[in-house]
Amino acid sequence: MTPRLSGRIAEVAAADPAARALEFRGRWHTWAELAAAMDRIDGVIDAHAGGGTAVVGVPARNTPLHVALLLAVLRRGGCFVVINPARGRESVRSDVAGLGLRLVLGQTADIEELAGATDGTALVAFDDLDADARVQHRPARPAEGRSRPGVAVRMPTSGTTGPPKRIDLAYDALDASMAVAKHYEAKKRDPARRPSGVALVNSPLAHMGGVFRVLQCVLDGRAFVFFERFDLRPWLEAVRTYRPKTVSLVPAALRMVLEADPDPADLSSLRAVTSGTAPLAPEDADAFTARFGVPVLTSYAATEFAGGVAGWTLRDHEKHWSEKRGSAGRAQPGCALRVVDEHTHDVLGPDRPGLLEVRPAQLGRDAGWMRTNDLARIDADGFLYILGRADQAIIRGGFKVLPDRVRSVLEALPDVRGAVVLGVPDGRLGEVPAALVEPRPGAAPDPAALRAEAARSLAGYEVPKEVHIVAELPRTTSGKVDLGAAKALLREVSA
């Protein structure tokens, strides 16, 4: 049986072929162009992956070609295996070698990098959306391939705390996630009736957020501007040109907009900014709203949940933000949240900190409770507060330090653009917190002064023993601080 999501992609692609689908680097591509590319990709899959639904690996980048690759695989009910090219050549080659895929598709430069990585995988390249395929490697004995019935996307986690894991996202879960977020109507609609507005998508396709937002637009039949990455100048130009009602900005991008200080008239079409992926300091949210008159709606999501499970609504923001600032919002419709004791796993009452457990609506009625590594509390009104990760807690002489709490205090200081707090060994106390700080443009903060200012809001044991100023914090493609790279940087600047 064809998944409903697959059928909807086929409907949208076939309706009104001359309609604009996506803009990239200033050029609009029509649905006819995307559909023609999808048909060519279908032929390649039939020739190299044995037909049927197929499991296809793709080094995913933000280009029209990669949108066509995603849609072509999902239209036929196949499994789109995301390979993150930002992880570096050797990591990508090792990743592909371990996946046992029969077929990897991608742009020419990425496919050429994979030559010799695996004998059993066919490697096929495309120069761009309009180009025919070029076979780079045709195996004499194709890999067996690993069937993924019902799986739409195999997505790696962000890998901020260690090697990425792969999560299987089912067709039903992705479909339900759109409904939970209220961006995609579950009822059948006339595919020829397309929304008039234009969306902006700057999340990476190698991350859950990018796949989710592209599918939001496609399933709704909405045209969108697709960015290779967040770039302030073209983003602002697109906001001025297309006047969207909502945009999505990760915290680092939101701070860039604040620092650029554009004319508030440029953002006057916006009713809300949504922000997720990484923690956002409430001070930044308040500053954005004060400057531009636009509320910032934060959310809580994970690849494992196939989308968001908690977030702010405009109504909640109007009624509760002043007393609930810093919260990640309340459970989304059909989702359930609870906090359990770290050791006994007994369910805890309001405002008691512990491990967060989630029952995501998008995983179906029979989904059980999923335990996270996030420390959290939920207040009597159901608002969720993320306190940090249990597996990153620093035990300083018997006292528990939550790095996210210290980070949020540092990021509230006027000269700090971003911060990360890490544990370093200490002969007497076992472990102590140390911080890397990225200053705001033009600022030159003094480490000792930052420690002194942070100490006004922190317990003595929470104050970082060391503060190091760095030009830029290492980040993943999704905008999170890469903790592995940050640890290496801390070792380098501490030496």
Side-chain angles (χ1 to χ4, degrees), residues 214-492:
V214 166
L215 289 179
Q216 280 179 358
C217 295
V218 170
L219 298 178
D220 206 32
R222 183 180 298 279
F224 63 100
V225 181
F226 200 35
F227 298 90
E228 289 179 86
R229 62 188 63 82
F230 182 79
D231 190 339
L232 183 63
R233 184 176 295 178
W235 182 86
L236 280 172
E237 182 60 32
V239 173
R240 285 191 290 260
T241 300
Y242 297 113
R243 312 296 291 166
K245 292 182 179 179
T246 62
V247 293
S248 177
L249 294 172
V250 299
L254 185 140
R255 293 186 194 106
M256 289 173 66
V257 177
L258 270 174
E259 290 161 4
D261 196 23
D263 187 334
D266 292 343
L267 307 185
S268 60
S269 68
L270 298 179
R271 292 183 60 211
V273 169
T274 61
S275 186
T277 303
L280 175 69
E283 292 80 9
D284 284 337
D286 286 341
F288 196 96
T289 303
R291 177 73 180 103
F292 304 112
V294 181
V296 179
L297 308 180
T298 55
S299 62
Y300 177 77
T303 304
E304 293 87 340
F305 309 147
V309 293
W312 281 90
T313 63
L314 277 172
R315 179 177 296 181
D316 273 351
H317 193 278
E318 291 168 2
K319 292 179 62 177
H320 299 292
W321 176 256
S322 60
E323 72 268 21
K324 309 286 188 181
R325 63 193 297 274
S327 164
R330 292 198 266 200
Q332 291 187 351
C335 298
L337 311 172
R338 70 184 185 187
V339 172
V340 301
D341 184 272
E342 286 185 69
H343 307 291
T344 67
H345 300 150
D346 292 335
V347 178
L348 301 176
D351 285 317
R352 294 187 60 188
L355 286 175
L356 177 65
E357 292 190 339
V358 175
R359 193 167 61 199
Q362 47 267 47
L363 299 188
R365 295 180 180 178
D366 297 329
W369 289 97
M370 299 175 65
R371 184 170 299 144
T372 73
N373 275 321
D374 288 319
L375 293 168
R377 66 179 177 88
I378 300 173
D379 72 13
D381 297 315
F383 283 87
L384 170 68
Y385 295 79
I386 301 298
L387 307 177
R389 289 185 62 88
D391 54 2
Q392 292 169 24
I394 300 165
I395 307 302
R396 180 178 189 168
F399 293 94
K400 180 182 287 187
V401 179
L402 297 180
D404 271 354
R405 166 167 162 72
V406 183
R407 174 199 54 76
S408 66
V409 168
L410 288 169
E411 288 185 346
L413 301 178
D415 288 343
V416 177
R417 186 183 202 183
V420 62
V421 177
L422 303 164
V424 295
D426 182 88
R428 184 172 64 88
L429 298 172
E431 197 173 26
V432 295
L436 296 174
V437 168
E438 178 184 333
R440 292 190 184 275
D446 174 68
L450 290 180
R451 291 183 72 250
E453 289 184 69
R456 296 175 184 174
S457 302
L458 297 171
Y461 60 84
E462 293 178 305
V463 177
K465 184 177 181 181
E466 308 169 11
V467 172
H468 300 277
I469 309 301
V470 297
E472 189 175 12
L473 293 174
R475 298 184 184 276
T476 67
T477 53
S478 61
K480 294 181 181 180
V481 173
D482 185 328
L483 293 184
K487 289 175 182 176
L489 179 58
L490 178 60
R491 288 194 294 269
E492 179 182 326

